Amino acid sequence: ELAFTILATPDNIFDDCVDELESRKNSNNWGNTRDTALAILAFNHAGKDTEASEEWLIDQEMAPTELIWYLEQDSNGQTECNLAYDSEDYKIKINENKKIDTDAGSCLTKSQSSFWLKVSPDCYGKEFTIQCDKDYITTLLYKNKNSQTIYVLEGTTSSPAFDSTNIKVNSKCFGESSCDYESTAWSAVALLKTGNNIEEYIPYLVALSDTNKRYLPESFIYMITNYEDYATKLIANQKLGNYWLAEGTAYNKFYDTSLALISLGGSSEQAKNSENWLLFSQGSNGCWQNSIRETAISLWALAGRSGKLGGGGGSIVYCT
């Protein structure tokens, strides 16, 4: 509530909230990763130094166990490749039918009908050096272990024959004892806003979106990637052309609509319709749902400060 209130208001009325939020900080910052991420966003908006909290947050990252990773190699015609890691070399052959003839040690085993190599979870973070006797491409793919959808990691590498390519699985998430989608989403937004590299969190957020629909994942993914596919998905899920309500929502339509608007900015017709819907739904006492949280996030959304870096523009509506 305090973080959203700071994000909702201009700097001349949030000083007391900043002081209150600061007073609640302890050795674990604000007790968990999600709340710390929201506090970082709030203090960043207030012009406060957040470096120590960012460092604490980054120290909490962990490797997700929900993702399965594959290494794909391809070339024209039969190709022999050498894969090296842990001071060992392994030779594989890619046949004319694109199938791989053998495993490359315990870290890289044949998978998906021998077309790809599956990366063992014990080998995440290890660097694999690849060299082939023909021009080749190398890329990493990943999926949620509970879903059939496979995603291609950005950055496919094309290499000439006998040139080496280095590749590594780097995937991280946030939570307390295990990965938590909402904590990872807000942490990625906060770290991006404060100038940190968030590439390692994107695969988890993308692959786990199908099983975390209650958090309106398209909003977060579009905020941190600008992938237009997710803006399109988000707009397609608007209800009655007015508001958003995530499937099995963790909150309510006021929270979800505000989150979508923060992600999209206020330039599209759909966003303007939802801004009007939010304003029409405001209670006579100026609040939404008589709730500090819903009122604050609604005002943040109506202020037109898009969640994306370089953000967006909408009607400026302040309400003390």
Side-chain angles (χ1 to χ4, degrees):
E1 290 177 350
L2 280 166
F4 283 147
T5 300
I6 293 166
L7 287 160
T9 53
D11 57 10
N12 61 330
I13 59 173
F14 64 22
D15 289 348
D16 289 346
C17 290
V18 170
D19 292 343
E20 176 64 24
L21 185 58
E22 201 156 27
S23 74
R24 299 188 186 190
K25 184 179 179 181
N26 55 42
S27 58
N28 283 330
N29 280 260
W30 286 271
N32 60 60
T33 51
R34 186 200 65 173
D35 289 353
T36 297
L38 287 169
I40 289 171
L41 280 169
F43 281 130
N44 177 258
H45 174 54
K48 300 288 185 179
D49 179 31
T50 60
E51 186 175 354
S53 295
E54 294 166 47
E55 291 174 356
W56 179 89
L57 186 60
I58 292 169
D59 283 345
Q60 311 311 307
E61 65 184 16
M62 60 189 84
T65 59
E66 297 92 337
L67 296 186
I68 297 173
W69 285 85
Y70 303 99
L71 173 63
E72 180 189 14
Q73 291 174 261
D74 197 10
S75 60
N76 293 319
Q78 183 171 294
T79 307
E80 293 187 1
C81 298
N82 186 79
L83 288 87
Y85 59 91
D86 289 345
S87 302
E88 297 285 343
D89 290 345
Y90 303 91
K91 294 189 182 301
I92 65 168
K93 183 184 294 181
I94 304 171
N95 295 310
E96 291 279 357
N97 63 3
K98 306 296 185 182
K99 292 193 175 187
I100 298 167
D101 70 333
T102 187
D103 297 340
S106 59
C107 282
L108 301 168
T109 56
K110 293 189 300 177
S111 186
Q112 300 291 317
S113 301
S114 298
F115 286 110
W116 301 335
L117 294 169
K118 181 180 178 180
V119 184
S120 168
D122 295 334
C123 303
Y124 295 168
K126 289 188 178 183
E127 187 168 77
F128 305 109
T129 301
I130 303 158
Q131 187 183 72
C132 298
D133 65 357
K134 287 188 175 68
D135 294 354
Y136 66 100
I137 64 167
T138 307
T139 193
L140 288 169
L141 307 100
Y142 59 94
K143 68 185 286 288
N144 179 348
K145 66 181 181 182
N146 297 315
S147 171
Q148 295 303 309
T149 306
I150 294 172
Y151 301 90
V152 181
L153 190 70
E154 281 193 300
T156 298
T157 302
S158 298
S159 303
F162 302 107
D163 266 17
S164 295
T165 297
N166 296 320
I167 201 163
K168 182 191 299 186
V169 171
N170 282 324
S171 181
K172 296 290 191 294
C173 63
F174 292 95
E176 307 323 307
S177 57
S178 61
C179 293
D180 175 76
Y181 194 88
E182 188 183 26
S183 296
T184 304
W186 279 119
S187 295
V189 172
L191 291 172
L192 178 62
K193 278 288 191 182
T194 49
N196 294 277
N197 188 320
I198 62 161
E199 288 180 5
E200 294 182 355
Y201 316 124
I202 293 173
Y204 173 82
L205 291 171
V206 167
L208 273 290
S209 61
D210 285 348
T211 50
N212 287 278
K213 292 181 179 179
R214 65 199 194 107
Y215 296 119
L216 206 65
E218 295 85 2
S219 294
F220 290 108
I221 297 171
Y222 186 55
M223 274 191 230
I224 63 174
T225 65
N226 285 343
Y227 293 162
E228 290 299 328
D229 283 356
Y230 288 93
T232 302
K233 287 181 183 179
L234 189 58
I235 288 170
N237 288 331
Q238 191 181 39
K239 308 295 184 185
L240 303 175
N242 290 319
Y243 64 91
W244 277 269
L245 184 65
E247 183 179 321
T249 184
Y251 296 99
N252 53 56
K253 59 186 177 183
F254 300 102
Y255 184 101
D256 291 347
T257 299
S258 299
L259 184 61
L261 284 173
I262 290 165
S263 175
L264 291 170
S267 58
S268 69
E269 179 184 349
Q270 292 85 357
K272 291 185 183 304
N273 289 343
S274 288
E275 286 181 355
N276 291 333
W277 177 85
L278 266 181
L279 289 167
F280 182 78
S281 303
Q282 189 179 27
S284 59
N285 62 354
C287 299
W288 281 265
Q289 293 287 92
N290 285 318
S291 162
I292 293 174
R293 184 186 66 199
E294 271 62 42
T295 299
I297 196 171
S298 294
L299 291 171
W300 179 15
L302 290 167
R305 294 188 303 274
S306 167
K308 302 185 299 300
L309 281 178
S315 54
I316 306 298
V317 181
Y318 291 128
C319 175
T320 304

